[in-house]
Amino acid sequence: MVSSPAATQSLARALAAHLRPGDVVAVEGGLGSGKTTFVRGLATALLGTDPVSSPTFTFRHRYGGTEGSPALEHVDLYRIDDPAELAELGLEEAFATDAVTAIEWPERAPELVGRPRWRVVVDGSGEEPRAITIERLD
Ligand SMILES: Nc1ncnc2c1ncn2[C@@H]1O[C@H](COP(=O)(O)OP(=O)(O)OP(=O)(O)O)[C@@H](O)[C@H]1O
Ligand SMILES: [Mg+2]
Protein backbone atom coordinates (compact mmCIF):
# COMPACT_ATOMS: atom_id res chain seq x y z
CA MET A 1 0.00 0.00 0.00
CA VAL A 2 1.20 3.51 -0.75
CA SER A 3 -0.19 6.28 1.37
CA SER A 4 1.12 9.44 -0.27
CA PRO A 5 1.57 10.88 -3.74
CA ALA A 6 5.32 10.83 -3.11
CA ALA A 7 5.18 7.08 -2.48
CA THR A 8 3.21 6.57 -5.71
CA GLN A 9 5.88 8.53 -7.58
CA SER A 10 8.64 6.52 -6.03
CA LEU A 11 7.04 3.30 -7.34
CA ALA A 12 6.75 4.91 -10.76
CA ARG A 13 10.44 5.76 -10.69
CA ALA A 14 11.23 2.13 -9.93
CA LEU A 15 9.24 1.07 -12.99
CA ALA A 16 10.89 3.75 -15.13
CA ALA A 17 14.24 2.03 -14.73
CA HIS A 18 12.84 -0.89 -16.76
CA LEU A 19 11.22 1.12 -19.55
CA ARG A 20 12.55 1.31 -23.08
CA PRO A 21 11.49 3.51 -26.00
CA GLY A 22 8.43 1.99 -27.64
CA ASP A 23 7.06 0.62 -24.37
CA VAL A 24 3.39 1.28 -23.72
CA VAL A 25 2.28 1.61 -20.09
CA ALA A 26 -1.48 1.31 -19.48
CA VAL A 27 -2.37 3.10 -16.23
CA GLU A 28 -5.77 1.96 -15.00
CA GLY A 29 -7.77 3.02 -11.95
CA GLY A 30 -10.84 4.97 -10.94
CA LEU A 31 -11.34 8.73 -10.89
CA GLY A 32 -8.83 10.44 -8.67
CA SER A 33 -6.94 7.24 -7.85
CA GLY A 34 -3.56 8.73 -8.71
CA LYS A 35 -2.89 7.82 -12.34
CA THR A 36 -1.54 11.24 -13.28
CA THR A 37 0.54 11.24 -10.12
CA PHE A 38 2.08 7.96 -11.28
CA VAL A 39 2.80 9.31 -14.77
CA ARG A 40 4.48 12.37 -13.27
CA GLY A 41 6.74 9.99 -11.38
CA LEU A 42 7.64 8.32 -14.67
CA ALA A 43 8.37 11.72 -16.18
CA THR A 44 10.58 12.70 -13.28
CA ALA A 45 12.66 9.58 -13.69
CA LEU A 46 12.86 9.64 -17.49
CA LEU A 47 13.41 13.37 -17.93
CA GLY A 48 15.20 14.25 -14.72
CA THR A 49 12.71 16.97 -13.82
CA ASP A 50 9.15 17.04 -12.53
CA PRO A 51 7.10 18.40 -15.41
CA VAL A 52 4.31 20.75 -14.52
CA SER A 53 1.48 19.37 -16.57
CA SER A 54 0.11 21.77 -19.09
CA PRO A 55 -3.26 23.27 -18.12
CA THR A 56 -4.37 22.86 -21.71
CA PHE A 57 -3.45 19.18 -21.84
CA THR A 58 -6.50 17.25 -22.92
CA PHE A 59 -5.72 14.06 -24.81
CA ARG A 60 -2.00 14.02 -25.38
CA HIS A 61 1.16 15.71 -24.19
CA ARG A 62 4.75 14.93 -25.16
CA TYR A 63 7.54 15.55 -22.68
CA GLY A 64 11.26 15.60 -23.37
CA GLY A 65 12.81 13.62 -26.18
CA THR A 66 15.77 15.91 -26.55
CA GLU A 67 19.41 15.54 -25.52
CA GLY A 68 19.37 11.77 -25.56
CA SER A 69 16.69 11.10 -22.95
CA PRO A 70 13.65 9.18 -24.16
CA ALA A 71 10.49 11.14 -24.79
CA LEU A 72 7.42 10.45 -22.68
CA GLU A 73 4.05 10.57 -24.36
CA HIS A 74 1.22 11.07 -21.87
CA VAL A 75 -2.21 10.21 -23.22
CA ASP A 76 -5.45 10.62 -21.26
CA LEU A 77 -8.51 9.02 -22.87
CA TYR A 78 -10.99 10.02 -20.16
CA ARG A 79 -12.97 12.24 -22.49
CA ILE A 80 -13.31 9.68 -25.25
CA ASP A 81 -16.95 8.67 -25.46
CA ASP A 82 -17.00 7.29 -28.95
CA PRO A 83 -14.05 5.43 -30.47
CA ALA A 84 -14.89 7.15 -33.78
CA GLU A 85 -13.52 10.39 -32.26
CA LEU A 86 -10.08 8.84 -32.07
CA ALA A 87 -9.43 8.99 -35.79
CA GLU A 88 -9.58 12.78 -35.71
CA LEU A 89 -7.15 13.15 -32.84
CA GLY A 90 -4.10 11.59 -34.46
CA LEU A 91 -3.22 9.76 -31.27
CA GLU A 92 -1.42 7.03 -33.18
CA GLU A 93 1.52 9.43 -33.23
CA ALA A 94 1.78 9.06 -29.47
CA PHE A 95 2.93 5.48 -30.02
CA ALA A 96 6.17 6.49 -31.71
CA THR A 97 8.95 4.01 -31.19
CA ASP A 98 11.27 6.70 -29.80
CA ALA A 99 8.97 7.33 -26.85
CA VAL A 100 7.63 5.65 -23.76
CA THR A 101 3.83 6.01 -23.91
CA ALA A 102 1.76 6.16 -20.70
CA ILE A 103 -2.02 6.06 -21.07
CA GLU A 104 -4.70 6.91 -18.55
CA TRP A 105 -8.11 5.29 -19.15
CA PRO A 106 -6.70 2.82 -21.71
CA GLU A 107 -9.91 0.79 -21.55
CA ARG A 108 -11.71 3.58 -23.42
CA ALA A 109 -9.86 2.77 -26.64
CA PRO A 110 -8.57 -0.82 -26.59
CA GLU A 111 -7.93 -0.88 -30.33
CA LEU A 112 -5.69 2.17 -30.14
CA VAL A 113 -3.77 0.91 -27.14
CA GLY A 114 -3.37 -2.67 -28.34
CA ARG A 115 -1.49 -4.92 -25.97
CA PRO A 116 0.61 -2.75 -23.66
CA ARG A 117 4.00 -3.93 -22.43
CA TRP A 118 3.13 -2.85 -18.88
CA ARG A 119 -0.13 -2.65 -16.96
CA VAL A 120 -0.39 -0.51 -13.82
CA VAL A 121 -3.55 -0.60 -11.72
CA VAL A 122 -4.11 2.02 -9.01
CA ASP A 123 -6.83 1.21 -6.52
CA GLY A 124 -8.21 3.65 -3.93
CA SER A 125 -9.27 7.27 -3.76
CA GLY A 126 -9.57 10.28 -1.49
CA GLU A 127 -7.52 9.99 1.68
CA GLU A 128 -7.22 6.21 1.43
CA PRO A 129 -3.87 4.52 0.90
CA ARG A 130 -3.57 3.16 -2.64
CA ALA A 131 -2.86 -0.38 -3.76
CA ILE A 132 -0.73 -0.32 -6.90
CA THR A 133 0.02 -3.34 -9.03
CA ILE A 134 2.55 -3.32 -11.84
CA GLU A 135 2.51 -6.15 -14.33
CA ARG A 136 4.69 -6.85 -17.35
CA LEU A 137 2.60 -8.44 -20.07
CA ASP A 138 4.98 -10.16 -22.44
N1 LIG B 1 -0.74 7.13 -2.97
C1 LIG B 1 -1.54 8.19 -2.73
N2 LIG B 1 -2.05 8.38 -1.50
C2 LIG B 1 -2.86 9.41 -1.26
N3 LIG B 1 -3.27 10.33 -2.17
C3 LIG B 1 -2.79 10.19 -3.40
C4 LIG B 1 -1.91 9.11 -3.76
N4 LIG B 1 -1.61 9.23 -5.07
C5 LIG B 1 -2.27 10.32 -5.52
N5 LIG B 1 -2.97 10.91 -4.53
C6 LIG B 1 -3.83 12.11 -4.63
O1 LIG B 1 -5.01 11.75 -5.31
C7 LIG B 1 -5.52 12.87 -6.05
C8 LIG B 1 -5.79 12.47 -7.46
O2 LIG B 1 -4.57 12.22 -8.10
P1 LIG B 1 -4.45 12.17 -9.69
O3 LIG B 1 -4.89 13.41 -10.31
O4 LIG B 1 -3.06 11.69 -9.96
O5 LIG B 1 -5.51 11.01 -10.03
P2 LIG B 1 -6.01 10.50 -11.45
O6 LIG B 1 -6.25 9.04 -11.28
O7 LIG B 1 -5.08 10.91 -12.51
O8 LIG B 1 -7.39 11.27 -11.61
P3 LIG B 1 -8.33 11.34 -12.92
O9 LIG B 1 -9.17 10.11 -12.87
O10 LIG B 1 -9.10 12.60 -12.70
O11 LIG B 1 -7.41 11.39 -14.11
C9 LIG B 1 -4.47 13.97 -5.91
O12 LIG B 1 -4.89 14.86 -4.91
C10 LIG B 1 -3.23 13.21 -5.47
O13 LIG B 1 -2.35 14.02 -4.72
MG1 LIG C 1 -5.47 11.86 -14.36
Side-chain angles (χ1 to χ4, degrees):
M1 297 296 255
V2 287
S3 39
S4 71
T8 291
Q9 297 204 353
S10 137
L11 265 185
R13 288 199 301 277
L15 170 60
H18 299 276
L19 297 177
R20 300 290 172 264
D23 280 6
V24 174
V25 184
V27 186
E28 301 178 14
L31 263 183
S33 55
K35 301 179 293 299
T36 301
T37 302
F38 191 92
V39 176
R40 284 180 66 195
L42 293 180
T44 303
L46 294 173
L47 281 60
T49 55
D50 183 0
V52 178
S53 68
S54 159
T56 57
F57 165 46
T58 51
F59 293 102
R60 175 186 170 202
H61 193 87
R62 185 178 176 100
Y63 298 104
T66 52
E67 297 156 24
S69 74
L72 176 68
E73 291 275 2
H74 181 189
V75 177
D76 186 338
L77 300 176
Y78 181 65
R79 288 172 195 79
I80 297 289
D81 304 315
D82 176 359
E85 293 171 44
L86 286 169
E88 294 160 28
L89 294 169
L91 291 176
E92 302 80 10
E93 292 169 21
F95 294 79
T97 52
D98 67 332
V100 169
T101 305
I103 308 165
E104 296 185 50
W105 300 99
E107 60 272 41
R108 307 241 161 155
E111 286 178 16
L112 174 74
V113 176
R115 183 171 167 81
R117 170 71 52 82
W118 300 90
R119 180 167 177 252
V120 175
V121 181
V122 188
D123 194 26
S125 63
E127 299 300 309
E128 299 166 359
R130 309 308 201 251
I132 299 182
T133 59
I134 299 174
E135 186 184 6
R136 182 174 165 135
L137 295 178
D138 59 2

